[in-house]
Amino acid sequence: MANLDIVKPENLVYTKTKVLTDAIMHYCPGCGHGTAHRIVAEVIDELGIQDKTIGIAPVGCSVLAYNYFDVDFQEAAHGRAPALATAAKRLNPDCFVFTYQGDGDLAAIGTAETIHACNRGENITMIFVNNGIYGMTGGQMAPTTLVGMKSATTPYGRNVALNGYPLRITELLATLPGTYFVTRQSVHTPTAVRKAKVAIKQAFENQKLQKGLSFVEIVSSCNSGWKMTPVQANQWMEENMFPNYPIGDIKVNGQIVEKVDINRIVVDHPLTVVNK
């Protein structure tokens, strides 16, 4: 194999945003949480709101999020992050409050708190990482697990007759009058990361304008839970997750985007490679 010289462009300096701590993240290699953390931290830094930001950590893979952000943080009981964020924002209306939650925390045990916070139009930002599985506790079926997708509790694949349909909670929340901005993004490519960062920045700016609740879903892979390499997981995500959870804005300025079909769900594609 030929030796390749890596040339660093002149005057290019790689820096870590000051909003991230020096703690080493515990996430599996290939997980999207680390990238999502970075762009959230960059947005906080660029908006100059580090001393005015309050984060709410969930229960799940990102339970230790408070170790990685140099902002005020509170830990919520499982699923209760939106309720805690509501209290934090109402007690500190000039602060920027955000929750950071996975699909089990936000869309399973926390469904009630999520829906009612969104319906009330709390002036907060909710960041939702959807990898279609319970990653922290062994790879069980989550509300977002796809039809036919294998997991620790659906070894033969999710069966609609037994387990019901995947919960597209982001589309559900878009129908509520209290949500102002609802979008779905990903962080698996550089282009996707840039788009996700724009969406998160918009969500924080909406708080300053007191527009109501902004909700950003990030579709991510769980290569450990899916039993794949990071590259395989990203490809599988594109081929299987994105048809069910299409990337793009769903609700902007309080209006559902005209081209979005909030009832669309794909159930007829083969899912044969997860947890083989």
Side-chain angles (χ1 to χ4, degrees), residues 165-240:
Y165 292 97
L167 179 59
R168 299 171 78 225
I169 195 166
T170 304
E171 280 79 0
L172 174 63
L173 299 177
T175 66
L176 301 177
T179 53
Y180 181 77
F181 176 55
V182 179
T183 187
R184 179 183 288 120
Q185 303 295 330
S186 66
V187 292
H188 69 301
T189 66
T191 298
V193 170
R194 288 193 293 269
K195 291 181 178 179
K197 183 176 177 180
V198 169
I200 291 171
K201 179 173 283 189
Q202 183 63 59
F204 275 91
E205 289 175 338
N206 288 341
Q207 273 198 66
K208 184 176 181 180
L209 300 174
Q210 300 183 19
K211 293 295 185 178
L213 196 141
S214 294
F215 190 92
V216 180
E217 175 182 349
I218 296 176
V219 180
S220 179
S221 64
C222 180
N223 48 286
S224 294
W226 295 357
K227 309 299 188 234
M228 300 179 186
T229 66
V231 173
Q232 291 172 334
N234 280 341
Q235 181 178 355
W236 192 90
M237 179 176 64
E238 290 181 350
E239 295 174 354
N240 297 280

Side-chain angles (χ1 to χ4, degrees), residues 249 256-262:
D249 293 340
I256 293 178
V257 177
E258 184 176 351
K259 65 180 180 180
V260 172
D261 180 2
I262 62 173

Side-chain angles (χ1 to χ4, degrees), residues 53-126:
T53 298
I54 301 173
I56 311 297
V59 172
C61 287
S62 52
V63 65
L64 301 177
Y66 51 78
N67 281 335
Y68 309 133
F69 291 88
D70 189 14
V71 299
D72 289 333
F73 242 94
Q74 293 182 303
E75 177 64 52
H78 201 184
R80 315 308 179 211
L84 189 53
T86 296
K89 184 66 176 185
R90 293 190 179 194
L91 291 169
N92 303 275
D94 294 331
C95 288
F96 293 80
V97 179
F98 75 96
T99 70
Y100 187 99
Q101 302 171 258
D103 42 14
D105 185 275
L106 183 145
I109 193 170
T111 308
E113 285 77 10
T114 297
I115 288 177
H116 288 293
C118 290
N119 196 51
R120 292 192 304 267
E122 300 293 342
N123 192 35
I124 61 176
T125 297
M126 296 182 67

Side-chain angles (χ1 to χ4, degrees), residues 107-177:
I109 193 170
T111 308
E113 285 77 10
T114 297
I115 288 177
H116 288 293
C118 290
N119 196 51
R120 292 192 304 267
E122 300 293 342
N123 192 35
I124 61 176
T125 297
M126 296 182 67
I127 298 170
F128 165 48
V129 180
N130 172 14
N131 56 24
I133 204 168
Y134 278 90
M136 184 181 74
T137 55
Q140 298 91 345
M141 185 191 78
T144 51
T145 300
L146 302 180
V147 174
M149 184 175 176
K150 296 179 181 179
S151 73
T153 49
T154 55
Y156 302 104
R158 180 171 188 156
N159 184 333
V160 171
L162 181 64
N163 310 117
Y165 292 97
L167 179 59
R168 299 171 78 225
I169 195 166
T170 304
E171 280 79 0
L172 174 63
L173 299 177
T175 66
L176 301 177

